[in-house]
């Protein structure tokens, strides 16, 4: 097993996750089986209880793990399926150590960060690295380990120490340390400054880890002088100083690392499979798209695109498949509401909605903006505009349909109005009311087709069922299904009990689809998720 440890310095948000996934792509293109582990040094057990506003989207795995969005990057870049243990958090590791202490595993000993926590971290890494991830039963050949946060953070120090020890545990020749840093550009002539990188490497080396490779984020390619200087001050050969400068799209990142000789440094032949040429085609295809398609995203965290990262990626995958340049028009749902105080914002939101080729209402929690989302669903239904509702997006469209087609005044979800006159969407009976962490209906569940033929079924193609990932507490009220269906909103996909609604499709509409699950978590570049592909096809007249 070969390990690549990716740490970060200077500041967060340098694209450490994309760098780490790109290195994974290079290893995979050399024919290796690759897996990955993301370490998040916070005390939460998982990302499930964290706000997307602060932390970006909560990514959901097949096994129901609610994890950091970087695991989404790994799944998409490497086309693998990870499990919840691939996201190691301080919450998880401390729970494990404390549980062992209570059991008496350390009887007689004082339990300490070193060696007990650091040992537990190393065992976890070794164990998880050996779990198959690419759908076969084969043990991976290489594991990318990404350490979240920035070197020097108090929280990450036990992990740095564990990884320092790890190189001796598994053999120095089996570990490559990669440090991602920033090279800012200053002054009128655009001087590339090396000092921040010098400092962060000094700090890392002070903790006992000497990086083998430096990856430097910058606006423009590093010049030779900067490279030489970094090499001299940071104890790496100049050819191991990589430049990750701005590129038109992220698919260029593995290619630019390969062009700078990263594969030689890793000692692998990146051309032993055709994978890299596929990436090259994809990166250039995306650059050349010029005809636009406008998708209105009606959501809540619209000024923070990380909150909807996988949805954006899925739209992108689908847009590439229909040869269009994707333009997402972000609409803050509450701006659409009739009583929104700012007339300008209200008018702009409606103008944007009306000029969009398609409308997407993504998942969400809490009642802010819900009435605006209901109005967006109404607009799409009545104007024949293609619509995709995901999770909450399915629920608001159902509420809208109950109110305006069935005439059920006051129809709502009990999430937003406990005493709703008509409970169109209700709390699922099996869900815990007292514990919010990890208690939703989570992970991969089968959806069975209820009809022989319909648009969404054709998009999914062959197969008796669809396997997608879930994350919700509420569902369409089973008592209303018959009436809703009689009026034309048909639940064409249900769970294995035949009770729970998973997919609806509106009769007589070009594309009006709701899914209770989150198809965005399984979309891949080159293999777009069917509901997204349908939306993009319908929005460009190609369905
Ligand atoms: N809040 C809704 C529920 O819990 C929708 C969840 C979601 O969109 N992920 O069912």
């Amino acid at each position: 097993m070969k390990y690549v440890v990716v740490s970060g310095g200077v500041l967060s948000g340098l694209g450490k996750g994309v760098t780490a996934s790109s290195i994974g792509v290079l290893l995979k293109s050399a024919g290796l089986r690759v897996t990955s582990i993301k370490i998040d040094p916070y005390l939460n057990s998982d990302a499930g209880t964290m706000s997307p506003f602060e932390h970006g989207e909560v990514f959901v795995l097949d096994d129901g793990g609610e994890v950091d969005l970087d695991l989404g990057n790994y799944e998409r870049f490497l086309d693998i399926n990870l499990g919840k243990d691939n996201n190691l958090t301080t919450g998880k590791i401390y729970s494990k150590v404390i549980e062992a202490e209570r059991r008496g595993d350390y009887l007689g000993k004082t339990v300490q960060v070193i060696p007990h926590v650091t040992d537990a971290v190393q065992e976890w890494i070794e164990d998880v690295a050996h779990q198959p991830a690419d759908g076969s039963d084969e043990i991976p050949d290489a594991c990318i380990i990404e350490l979240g946060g920035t070197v020097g953070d108090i929280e990450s120090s036990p992990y740095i120490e564990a990884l320092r020890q790890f190189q001796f545990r598994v053999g120095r020749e089996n570990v490559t340390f990669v440090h991602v840093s920033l090279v800012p550009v200053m002054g009128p002539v655009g001087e590339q400054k090396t000092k921040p990188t010098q400092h962060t490497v000094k700090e890392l080396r002070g903790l006992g880890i000497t990086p083998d490779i430096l990856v430097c984020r910058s606006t423009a390619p590093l010049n030779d002088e900067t490279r030489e200087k970094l090499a001299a001050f940071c104890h790496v050969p100049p050819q191991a100083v990589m430049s990750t400068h701005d590129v038109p799209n992220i698919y260029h990142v593995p290619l630019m690392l390969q062009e700078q000789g990263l594969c030689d440094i890793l000692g692998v032949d990146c051309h032993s499979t055709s994978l890299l040429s596929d990436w090259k085609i994809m990166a250039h295809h995306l650059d050349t798209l010029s005809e636009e398609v406008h998708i209105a995203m009606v959501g809540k965290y619209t000024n923070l695109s990380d909150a909807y990262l996988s949805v954006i990626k899925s739209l992108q995958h689908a847009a590439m498949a229909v040869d269009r340049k994707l333009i997402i028009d972000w609409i803050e749902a509450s701006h659409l509401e009739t009583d929104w105080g700012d007339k300008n914002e209200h008018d702009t939101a409606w103008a944007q909605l009306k000029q969009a080729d398609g409308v997407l209402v993504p998942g969400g929690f809490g009642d802010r903006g819900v009435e605006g989302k209901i109005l967006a669903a109404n607009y799409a239904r009545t104007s024949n505009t293609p619509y995709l509702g995901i999770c909450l997006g399915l629920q608001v469209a159902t509420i809208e349909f109950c109110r305006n087609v069935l005439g059920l005044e006051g129809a709502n979800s009990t999430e937003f109005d406990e005493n709703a006159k008509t409970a169109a969407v209700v709390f699922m009976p099996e869900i815990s009311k007292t514990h919010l962490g990890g208690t939703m209906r989570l992970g991969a569940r089968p959806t069975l087709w209820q009809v022989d033929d319909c648009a969404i079924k054709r998009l999914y193609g062959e197969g008796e069922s669809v396997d997608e990932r879930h994350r919700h507490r509420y569902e369409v009220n089973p008592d209303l299904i018959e009436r809703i269906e009689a009026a034309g909103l048909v639940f064409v996909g249900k769970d294995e009990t035949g009770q729970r609604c998973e997919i609806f499709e509106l009769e007589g509409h070009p594309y009006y689809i709701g899914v209770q699950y989150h198809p965005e978590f399984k979309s891949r570049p080159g293999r777009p998720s069917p509901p997204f592909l349908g939306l993009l096809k319908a929005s460009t007249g190609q369905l």
Side-chain angles (χ1 to χ4, degrees), residues 363-365 390-392 395 415 471-474 518:
F365 296 83
I390 296 176
C391 205
L392 182 61
Q395 297 173 0
E415 180 179 5
R471 183 170 187 252
H472 65 126
R473 292 191 178 87
Y474 294 81
H518 291 268

Side-chain angles (χ1 to χ4, degrees), residues 236-253:
V236 288
Q239 60 274 22
V241 180
M242 300 283 139
S243 164
T244 43
H245 40 272
D246 293 353
V247 280
N249 69 65
I250 57 168
Y251 303 119
H252 285 284
V253 181

Side-chain angles (χ1 to χ4, degrees), residues 116-167:
H116 301 102
V117 171
T118 47
D119 280 352
V121 169
Q122 294 178 72
E123 280 157 24
W124 186 296
I125 291 173
E126 254 198 302
D127 180 34
V128 173
H130 286 80
Q131 288 167 16
D134 64 354
S136 75
D137 294 334
E138 304 283 332
I139 295 173
D141 307 303
C143 178
I144 311 282
I145 302 163
E146 179 192 348
L147 177 59
T150 308
V151 166
D153 295 348
I154 290 179
E155 319 192 283
S156 63
S157 54
Y159 296 102
I160 303 265
E161 173 57 18
L163 291 164
R164 186 194 65 76
Q165 294 176 17
F166 195 66
Q167 59 187 317

Side-chain angles (χ1 to χ4, degrees), residues 391-406:
C391 205
L392 182 61
L394 168 141
Q395 297 173 0
V396 293
T398 307
I399 296 168
E400 189 280 318
F401 196 81
C402 287
R403 285 185 192 172
N404 301 319
V405 178
L406 301 185

Side-chain angles (χ1 to χ4, degrees), residues 417-433:
D417 179 3
E418 266 192 64
N419 307 311
K421 234 166 119 189
T422 301
V425 175
V426 294
F427 198 79
M428 286 181 289
E430 71 269 33
I431 303 296
S432 167
K433 289 219 171 195

Side-chain angles (χ1 to χ4, degrees), residues 388-537:
L388 175 61
I390 296 176
C391 205
L392 182 61
L394 168 141
Q395 297 173 0
V396 293
T398 307
I399 296 168
E400 189 280 318
F401 196 81
C402 287
R403 285 185 192 172
N404 301 319
V405 178
L406 301 185
L408 297 169
E409 222 177 287
N412 211 334
S413 164
T414 54
E415 180 179 5
F416 314 124
D417 179 3
E418 266 192 64
N419 307 311
K421 234 166 119 189
T422 301
V425 175
V426 294
F427 198 79
M428 286 181 289
E430 71 269 33
I431 303 296
S432 167
K433 289 219 171 195
T434 54
H435 282 65
L436 294 182
T439 58
M440 281 185 256
R441 182 165 178 257
L442 285 167
R445 311 282 176 124
T447 294
L448 307 181
W449 296 113
Q450 308 294 310
V451 296
D452 290 332
D453 185 40
C454 63
I456 188 73
K457 190 176 177 197
R458 285 194 292 275
L459 284 158
Y460 270 103
E462 317 261 287
E464 285 304 291
S465 66
V466 167
D467 212 38
E468 296 271 21
R469 299 176 183 173
H470 295 70
R471 183 170 187 252
H472 65 126
R473 292 191 178 87
Y474 294 81
E475 63 171 329
V476 174
N477 188 345
D479 297 342
L480 285 176
I481 291 176
E482 225 170 284
R483 286 177 70 185
I484 297 174
E485 290 199 318
L489 192 67
V490 185
F491 291 94
V492 296
K494 290 190 180 159
D495 76 341
E496 60 284 47
T497 68
Q499 295 298 311
R500 184 155 286 148
C501 295
E502 295 278 13
I503 311 174
F504 76 53
E505 181 168 326
L506 180 61
E507 285 174 350
H509 190 287
Y511 191 80
Y512 196 79
I513 302 287
V515 288
Q516 185 58 74
Y517 50 77
H518 291 268
E520 68 269 28
F521 297 132
K522 285 178 70 169
S523 186
R524 300 281 198 264
R527 213 167 61 238
S529 161
F532 286 90
L533 183 60
L535 177 69
L536 268 288
K537 280 189 166 180

Side-chain angles (χ1 to χ4, degrees), residues 28 45 54 69-70 96 186 196 205 223 234 265 280 282 340 351 357-358 402 409 521 539:
K28 194 175 167 186
S45 286
E54 239 181 67
L69 54 78
D70 276 317
K96 195 174 173 200
M186 301 286 286
R205 293 183 67 201
N223 55 46
C234 299
I265 297 173
K280 209 167 269 172
M282 206 157 58
W340 184 250
D357 302 307
C402 287
E409 222 177 287
F521 297 132
S539 303

